[in-house]
Amino acid sequence: MPATARPLSPFTTIYRWQIQMVTSLLHRATGIALTVGTILFVIALLALAAGPDAYAAVRAFCGSWIGTLLLLGWTWSLAFHLLNGIRHLLQDVGLGFSIPQFVRNGWLVAAGSVVLTALVWACVVMQGARA
């Protein structure tokens, strides 16, 4: 069969997106994002150990719009990965396997991660973003 005649994977044409698919994909993606975000955290710790000038540079980057966006994304990734991990732990003990519960818990994780991120950043803003 020629390469151009190969069939596509069925998920692109047959399956419709469901919360179960989205939470599974996002769990993997947030795990990767947390790993990458940890690099920024380690850089900040190294800069803190290197002295005030190095730390001021990292702090200036984190205060920029791109740094703030990265920190916001890292916070959401942590919240989503945490809540979805708790959902998985509950499933490990046999809870939440019926389809309505599974769908509900997926939506709770998605909404809860946004709420948790908003709460964390509300605390950051109320503290005046002091580091």
Side-chain angles (χ1 to χ4, degrees), residues 13 44 55 60 69 78 81 84:
T13 56
Y55 183 67
L69 186 65
L78 180 61
H81 205 78
N84 204 43

Side-chain angles (χ1 to χ4, degrees), residues 28-104:
R28 289 171 175 86
T30 56
I32 294 167
L34 288 173
T35 302
V36 173
T38 301
I39 294 170
L40 178 61
F41 181 69
V42 169
I43 290 170
L45 289 176
L46 291 172
L48 186 60
D53 292 335
Y55 183 67
V58 170
R59 190 170 174 193
F61 172 74
C62 290
S64 70
W65 71 269
I66 188 124
T68 303
L69 186 65
L70 288 172
L71 290 172
L72 180 66
W74 194 46
T75 307
W76 177 79
S77 293
L78 180 61
F80 183 88
H81 205 78
L82 171 72
L83 294 176
N84 204 43
I86 291 169
R87 182 177 70 94
H88 277 284
L89 286 174
L90 292 173
Q91 289 175 344
D92 286 344
V93 297
L95 300 173
F97 276 115
S98 73
I99 291 176
Q101 289 175 330
F102 202 87
V103 171
R104 181 201 64 213

